[in-house]
Amino acid sequence: MIRINLLDSTQQKKARRGATPGAATGRAGAALVVFVALAFLTLDGTLAWRMWSQVDRSKRELKAAVAEHAELERKISLQTNEAAEVSRFREVVANQMDVLRSLDPPDRILWSQKINMLASLTPNNVFLDEIRIAEMVEEVETEASKQAIENWRKSTDKNKGPQPAPVRRPVIRYRLVLTGLATGEDHIEQFDNVMAFYRSMIDYQMVDTQGQPQRFMDGFHREMEFEEIKGEVYEGVGVNKFIFRLTTLPMGEEQSNKPEGRQVASAGR
């Protein structure tokens, strides 16, 4: 079939000019829609990628943090066990040292030195008839043992084990008993000589071979017991018989109530 275009060329040009803007607008709109759609798809993809990346990074960081926490817990547990072992070892050593100090105290009394002092400090009219030394031993719990039991009681650790057994050490004291006779013209002078011997024991001081001052009362309680003072006749001579008791301070213990001017005797055998 043959179509015959009856429009002249001028009308054909107008028709073409009138049809062009609408077609162009339609194509531009379609292109814009496609562009917008692609932009949204790209944006959604970018956002989705960023969100997935953040989630993945968060998961990796959480996993690393959990692993680090587990490692720290392991190290803390190990160090806690080591610290507990060290603490128990220190308690054992402290108890042993406490017992050793009691058995061989640094302030041990040198009885030979005390006897030599007695020979020097005894007045002319006083004669010692008997010297007796008695040892007194008492078992007491060590300070380290008390602290260990107290720490055990305060501990909230479920695996702390049974209560530690108390550790005891010997507390050694000595009692020196001096029996003597004091002569004199009468009972008054005899009694005065007894008191002169008492004051001489309290005040006597010497210098040892190391140049250190040593007192007779070092290591003793200052209070002295007068067990007996009475008049007697000894081989036809009137005398005042006396008995003094001196008790030592606990060997190897720090004394908080040391008499003023008291110095601890140097250790030795």
Side-chain angles (χ1 to χ4, degrees), residues 25-216:
T25 301
R27 288 194 298 272
L32 180 61
V33 170
V34 173
F35 175 78
V36 171
L38 290 175
F40 274 110
L41 288 175
T42 303
L43 180 61
D44 289 343
T46 302
L47 292 176
W49 170 258
R50 288 182 178 177
M51 291 178 63
W52 180 85
S53 298
Q54 291 178 355
V55 171
D56 183 65
R57 185 171 62 253
S58 298
K59 287 182 178 179
R60 284 187 278 110
E61 290 176 352
L62 176 61
K63 185 177 180 180
V66 170
E68 184 179 0
H69 177 74
E71 179 63 16
L72 287 175
E73 288 288 343
R74 187 188 69 81
K75 290 181 178 180
I76 290 173
S77 177
L78 180 62
Q79 291 179 356
T80 300
N81 293 334
E82 291 177 351
E85 289 296 328
V86 171
S87 178
R88 284 191 289 269
F89 178 74
R90 285 179 177 175
E91 290 172 0
V92 171
V93 172
N95 281 320
Q96 291 176 344
M97 292 301 297
D98 207 354
V99 174
L100 288 175
R101 279 193 296 268
S102 299
L103 296 176
D104 189 15
D107 54 352
R108 179 185 296 277
I109 287 182
L110 301 178
W111 290 110
S112 59
Q113 185 185 63
K114 298 297 184 185
I115 299 302
N116 288 335
M117 288 182 177
L118 280 173
S120 299
L121 64 84
T122 303
N124 292 331
N125 293 326
V126 175
F127 305 89
L128 294 180
D129 183 51
E130 184 181 27
I131 299 175
R132 288 183 288 125
I133 301 173
E135 183 182 72
M136 300 173 291
V137 181
E138 177 186 4
E139 294 287 332
V140 299
E141 188 175 359
T142 66
E143 293 301 320
S145 175
K146 291 178 182 178
Q147 187 62 49
I149 293 176
E150 183 66 18
N151 293 339
W152 180 88
R153 289 173 178 169
K154 292 180 179 179
S155 175
T156 58
D157 186 1
K158 296 180 180 179
N159 300 321
K160 63 182 180 180
Q163 176 176 325
V167 178
R168 300 185 180 277
R169 64 177 179 83
V171 174
I172 303 173
R173 295 180 176 86
Y174 293 93
R175 175 166 289 174
L176 175 64
V177 182
L178 301 174
T179 302
L181 305 172
T183 61
E185 294 294 333
D186 51 32
H187 292 301
I188 295 176
E189 186 175 336
Q190 295 164 11
F191 180 78
D192 287 343
N193 289 332
V194 172
M195 297 310 297
F197 176 62
Y198 167 78
R199 289 189 295 271
S200 181
M201 285 190 289
I202 296 296
D203 299 334
Y204 184 81
Q205 179 173 301
M206 60 169 286
V207 178
D208 62 16
T209 55
Q210 286 77 36
Q212 298 297 319
Q214 302 290 339
R215 299 176 63 246
F216 176 76

Side-chain angles (χ1 to χ4, degrees), residues 125 127 181-187 190 230-241:
N125 293 326
F127 305 89
L181 305 172
T183 61
E185 294 294 333
D186 51 32
H187 292 301
Q190 295 164 11
K230 67 177 182 179
E232 286 188 358
V233 176
Y234 184 77
E235 295 185 357
V237 178
V239 296
N240 231 333
K241 181 180 179 180

